[in-house]
Coordinates of all heavy atoms in Angstrom, one line a residue:
R253 N 109.6 -118.1 3.3 CA 109.7 -117.8 4.8 C 110.6 -118.8 5.5 O 110.4 -119.2 6.6 CB 108.2 -117.9 5.3 CG 107.6 -119.3 5.2 CD 106.2 -119.3 5.6 NE 105.5 -120.6 5.7 CZ 105.1 -121.3 4.7 NH1 105.3 -120.9 3.4 NH2 104.6 -122.5 4.9
L254 N 111.6 -119.3 4.8 CA 112.4 -120.4 5.3 C 113.8 -120.0 5.5 O 114.4 -119.2 4.8 CB 112.4 -121.6 4.3 CG 111.0 -122.2 4.0 CD1 111.1 -123.2 2.9 CD2 110.5 -122.9 5.3
P255 N 114.5 -120.6 6.5 CA 115.9 -120.4 6.7 C 116.7 -121.1 5.6 O 116.2 -122.0 4.9 CB 116.2 -121.1 8.1 CG 115.1 -122.1 8.2 CD 113.9 -121.5 7.5
K256 N 117.9 -120.6 5.4 CA 118.8 -121.1 4.3 C 119.0 -122.6 4.4 O 119.1 -123.3 3.4 CB 120.1 -120.3 4.4 CG 121.1 -120.7 3.3 CD 122.3 -119.8 3.4 CE 123.3 -120.2 2.3 NZ 124.5 -119.4 2.4
I257 N 119.1 -123.1 5.6 CA 119.4 -124.5 5.8 C 118.3 -125.4 5.2 O 118.6 -126.5 4.7 CB 119.6 -124.9 7.3 CG1 120.2 -126.3 7.5 CG2 118.3 -124.7 8.1 CD1 120.6 -126.6 8.9
A258 N 117.1 -125.0 5.2 CA 116.0 -125.8 4.7 C 116.1 -125.8 3.2 O 115.9 -126.9 2.6 CB 114.7 -125.1 5.1
F259 N 116.5 -124.7 2.5 CA 116.6 -124.7 1.1 C 117.8 -125.6 0.6 O 117.8 -126.3 -0.4 CB 116.8 -123.3 0.5 CG 115.5 -122.6 0.4 CD1 115.1 -121.7 1.3 CD2 114.7 -122.9 -0.7 CE1 113.9 -121.0 1.2 CE2 113.5 -122.2 -0.8 CZ 113.1 -121.3 0.2
E260 N 118.9 -125.6 1.5 CA 120.0 -126.4 1.1 C 119.7 -127.9 1.2 O 120.1 -128.7 0.4 CB 121.2 -126.1 2.1 CG 121.8 -124.7 1.9 CD 122.8 -124.4 2.9 OE1 122.9 -125.1 3.9 OE2 123.6 -123.4 2.6
A261 N 118.8 -128.3 2.2 CA 118.4 -129.7 2.3 C 117.6 -130.1 1.1 O 117.7 -131.2 0.5 CB 117.6 -129.9 3.6
V262 N 116.7 -129.1 0.6 CA 115.9 -129.4 -0.5 C 116.8 -129.6 -1.8 O 116.6 -130.5 -2.6 CB 114.8 -128.3 -0.7 CG1 114.1 -128.5 -2.1 CG2 113.9 -128.3 0.4
R263 N 117.7 -128.7 -1.9 CA 118.6 -128.8 -3.1 C 119.4 -130.1 -3.1 O 119.5 -130.7 -4.2 CB 119.6 -127.6 -3.1 CG 119.0 -126.3 -3.6 CD 120.1 -125.3 -4.0 NE 119.5 -124.1 -4.4 CZ 119.4 -123.0 -3.6 NH1 119.9 -123.1 -2.4 NH2 118.9 -121.9 -4.0
R264 N 119.9 -130.5 -2.0 CA 120.7 -131.7 -2.0 C 119.8 -132.9 -2.4 O 120.3 -133.8 -3.1 CB 121.3 -131.9 -0.5 CG 122.5 -131.1 -0.2 CD 123.2 -131.6 1.0 NE 122.4 -131.3 2.2 CZ 122.4 -130.2 2.9 NH1 123.3 -129.3 2.6 NH2 121.7 -130.0 4.0
A265 N 118.6 -133.0 -1.9 CA 117.7 -134.1 -2.3 C 117.4 -134.0 -3.7 O 117.4 -135.1 -4.4 CB 116.5 -134.1 -1.4
L266 N 117.1 -132.9 -4.3 CA 116.7 -132.8 -5.7 C 117.9 -133.1 -6.6 O 117.8 -133.7 -7.6 CB 116.2 -131.4 -6.0 CG 114.8 -131.0 -5.3 CD1 114.5 -129.6 -5.6 CD2 113.7 -132.0 -5.7
D267 N 119.1 -132.6 -6.2 CA 120.3 -132.9 -6.9 C 120.6 -134.4 -7.0 O 121.2 -134.9 -8.0 CB 121.5 -132.2 -6.4 CG 121.4 -130.7 -6.6 OD1 120.6 -130.3 -7.5 OD2 122.1 -129.9 -5.9
A268 N 120.2 -135.1 -5.9 CA 120.3 -136.6 -5.9 C 119.2 -137.3 -6.6 O 119.1 -138.5 -6.5 CB 120.5 -137.1 -4.4
D269 N 118.3 -136.5 -7.2 CA 117.1 -137.1 -7.9 C 116.2 -137.8 -7.0 O 115.7 -138.9 -7.3 CB 117.6 -138.1 -9.0 CG 116.5 -138.3 -10.0 OD1 115.6 -137.4 -10.2 OD2 116.4 -139.4 -10.6
K270 N 116.0 -137.2 -5.8 CA 115.1 -137.8 -4.8 C 113.9 -136.8 -4.5 O 114.1 -135.6 -4.6 CB 115.8 -138.1 -3.5 CG 116.9 -139.1 -3.6 CD 116.4 -140.4 -4.0 CE 115.6 -141.1 -2.9 NZ 115.1 -142.4 -3.2
P271 N 112.7 -137.3 -4.2 CA 111.6 -136.4 -3.9 C 111.8 -135.7 -2.6 O 112.5 -136.2 -1.7 CB 110.4 -137.3 -4.0 CG 111.0 -138.7 -3.6 CD 112.3 -138.7 -4.2
V272 N 111.2 -134.6 -2.4 CA 111.2 -133.8 -1.2 C 109.8 -133.7 -0.7 O 108.8 -133.3 -1.4 CB 111.8 -132.4 -1.4 CG1 111.7 -131.6 -0.1 CG2 113.2 -132.5 -1.8
L273 N 109.6 -133.9 0.6 CA 108.3 -133.8 1.2 C 108.2 -132.5 2.1 O 109.2 -132.3 2.9 CB 107.9 -135.0 2.1 CG 106.6 -135.0 2.9 CD1 105.4 -134.9 1.9 CD2 106.5 -136.3 3.7
I274 N 107.2 -131.7 2.0 CA 107.0 -130.5 2.8 C 105.7 -130.7 3.5 O 104.6 -130.7 2.9 CB 107.1 -129.3 1.9 CG1 108.4 -129.2 1.2 CG2 106.8 -128.0 2.8 CD1 108.5 -128.1 0.2
Q275 N 105.7 -130.7 4.8 CA 104.5 -130.8 5.6 C 104.1 -129.4 6.2 O 104.9 -128.8 6.8 CB 104.7 -131.8 6.8 CG 103.4 -132.1 7.6 CD 103.7 -132.7 8.9 OE1 104.0 -132.1 9.9 NE2 103.5 -134.1 8.9
V276 N 102.9 -129.0 5.9 CA 102.3 -127.8 6.4 C 101.0 -128.1 7.1 O 100.3 -129.1 6.7 CB 102.0 -126.8 5.3 CG1 103.4 -126.3 4.7 CG2 101.2 -127.3 4.2
P277 N 100.7 -127.4 8.2 CA 99.5 -127.8 9.0 C 98.2 -127.8 8.3 O 97.3 -128.6 8.7 CB 99.5 -126.8 10.2 CG 100.9 -126.3 10.2 CD 101.4 -126.3 8.8
R278 N 98.0 -127.0 7.3 CA 96.6 -126.8 6.7 C 96.7 -126.7 5.2 O 97.7 -126.3 4.7 CB 95.9 -125.6 7.3 CG 95.7 -125.7 8.8 CD 95.0 -124.5 9.4 NE 95.0 -124.5 10.8 CZ 94.4 -123.5 11.6 NH1 93.9 -122.5 11.0 NH2 94.4 -123.6 12.9
K279 N 95.6 -127.0 4.6 CA 95.5 -126.8 3.2 C 95.1 -125.3 2.9 O 94.8 -124.5 3.8 CB 94.4 -127.7 2.6 CG 93.0 -127.5 3.1 CD 92.1 -128.5 2.5 CE 90.6 -128.3 3.0 NZ 90.0 -127.1 2.5
G280 N 95.0 -124.9 1.6 CA 94.6 -123.6 1.3 C 95.7 -122.6 1.0 O 96.9 -123.0 0.7

């Protein structure tokens, strides 16, 4: 459910061997 720019940011971080944090309002 994400725009392309969000996936690109995730890819860049993972390619640099860095962790990615995703904050969602609720568990479940």
Side-chain angles (χ1 to χ4, degrees):
R253 63 189 190 280
L254 298 172
K256 183 178 179 181
I257 189 172
F259 279 101
E260 291 175 345
V262 173
R263 282 203 184 96
R264 281 192 291 269
L266 295 176
D267 290 344
D269 198 30
K270 299 295 293 182
V272 174
L273 176 62
I274 300 172
Q275 185 194 82
V276 292
R278 300 180 186 178
K279 63 185 180 68

